Amino acid sequence: MRYYVLDRGDELSIKLAEQFHKLAAERSLVLDAESPEIVISIGGDGTMLHAFHTFIDQIPNLAFVGVHTGHLGFYADWQAEELPALIDHMCGTTDLPPHKPRIVRYPLLELEIHKKSGSTSHIALNEFTLKGVDGTVVIQVDINDDNFEMFRGDGLCVSTPSGSTAYNKSLGGAMMHPSIDALQISEIASINNRVFRTMGSPLLLPKHHHCDIYSRKNQRLLLTVDHINIPVDDLISVRCQVSDKKISFARYRPFPFWNRVREAFLI
């Protein structure tokens, strides 16, 4: 099996990465930075986002495994002290054969950003946000090519189901199970009075729908795709839709989504 390890860079994560390499070498796993079958993320959810974007061009051909060393590892199945057990599941032992993982696939968010200076495409695992740099943003939101609302406020967050537990949740958005192929639009401090009106609540769009966000004044904006910041001062529009691609996670043992939610927010 070909593998690669990406760690957070702190002392504990580096130590765990070294331990994993040692254990992997003893089991004849092959370290491959170019075309791994399994990518091990050691750190937190931010580390998993970094791993995802590092191998984004190879998404259909690999699966991810998260090892949790922080305070909230929503994408992680394994604790720091469980590396030997993870290796045992991956490679087997003298008594047990390798454990074939269950591959689960989560929806991703596809973005087409159109600017006066050119267009780019992006994929997000968690969310896309649009915010104003100098103050209130004015943006038009269309759904399926029909005008929906003229938004005024701090910005918008468009999240995937797996990202619905992150920034989206703090904005009052719903938590969606990752088996649902949908995206969620949540407002960031919208202005609602006698003059300006917005929906004022999160919206869920299924896979076959899309939304377009148009800049409606000269404004400096900060677009964020997961952890990647993109300053823009000539935005025309952003199209958001559920991607045809999905991220794959290798589950070597059961860890239901709602158990993750309970452990992350209630225990």
Side-chain angles (χ1 to χ4, degrees):
M1 179 186 295
R2 302 185 309 277
Y3 80 95
Y4 185 74
V5 174
L6 195 148
D7 65 75
R8 184 165 54 187
D10 61 288
E11 183 177 353
L12 175 58
S13 298
I14 293 173
K15 181 179 179 180
L16 290 173
E18 293 172 348
Q19 181 186 357
F20 188 93
H21 289 310
K22 181 180 179 180
L23 293 170
E26 293 172 356
R27 303 294 186 87
S28 300
L29 294 183
V30 178
L31 177 61
D32 187 341
E34 300 299 324
S35 57
E37 299 169 87
I38 295 285
V39 174
I40 312 296
S41 166
I42 300 179
D45 286 344
T47 312
M48 181 61 76
L49 291 176
H50 183 48
F52 167 75
H53 284 277
T54 298
F55 290 95
I56 196 166
D57 293 333
Q58 301 181 47
I59 289 302
N61 304 316
L62 56 80
F64 294 85
V65 174
V67 178
H68 167 47
T69 63
H71 298 292
L72 181 60
F74 218 88
Y75 287 117
D77 294 358
W78 300 87
Q79 299 292 332
E81 65 275 9
E82 295 181 310
L83 279 190
L86 172 57
I87 288 286
D88 285 344
H89 277 74
M90 294 174 65
C91 304
T93 65
T94 55
D95 300 321
L96 297 172
H99 177 68
K100 186 177 181 180
R102 183 171 72 94
I103 301 298
V104 298
R105 294 178 173 85
Y106 287 0
L108 300 170
L109 173 62
E110 180 179 315
L111 303 162
E112 296 176 12
I113 301 175
H114 301 288
K115 303 177 292 181
K116 294 176 183 178
S117 55
S119 300
T120 55
S121 297
H122 302 268
I123 299 288
L125 173 56
N126 264 10
E127 74 265 315
F128 160 75
T129 62
L130 180 153
K131 296 181 180 179
V133 174
D134 302 312
T136 300
V137 301
V138 179
I139 50 180
Q140 176 183 325
V141 179
D142 288 6
I143 296 179
N144 296 338
D145 302 318
D146 289 328
N147 178 248
F148 184 75
E149 68 176 9
M150 187 68 71
F151 175 90
R152 291 169 176 83
D154 285 358
L156 290 177
C157 172
V158 183
S159 69
T160 66
S162 54
S164 67
T165 59
Y167 190 20
N168 168 78
K169 179 181 180 295
S170 70
L171 297 172
M175 287 184 282
M176 291 193 294
H177 194 279
S179 64
I180 301 172
D181 285 329
L183 58 82
Q184 183 167 184
I185 306 171
S186 297
E187 299 178 355
I188 306 172
S190 61
I191 298 174
N192 278 284
N193 52 36
R194 290 185 301 170
V195 179
F196 304 129
R197 310 297 295 173
T198 69
M199 181 57 63
S201 65
L203 302 173
L204 299 181
L205 299 186
K207 183 173 182 177
H208 59 285
H209 289 199
H210 63 268
C211 75
D212 293 298
I213 302 168
Y214 295 91
S215 177
R216 285 302 182 232
K217 73 173 185 180
N218 291 326
Q219 52 193 337
R220 293 195 300 159
L221 302 169
L222 180 63
L223 311 184
T224 304
V225 181
D226 290 332
H227 61 296
I228 303 169
N229 293 324
I230 308 171
V232 176
D233 60 8
D234 61 345
L235 182 69
I236 299 173
S237 67
V238 181
R239 171 159 290 195
C240 308
Q241 59 191 356
V242 178
S243 175
D244 290 332
K245 299 179 180 178
K246 289 191 175 185
I247 184 174
S248 296
F249 292 97
R251 302 282 190 236
Y252 287 96
R253 60 185 181 184
F255 198 168
F257 175 77
W258 297 118
N259 286 7
R260 296 173 190 269
V261 172
R262 185 181 68 248
E263 291 189 10
F265 299 113
L266 298 177
I267 296 177

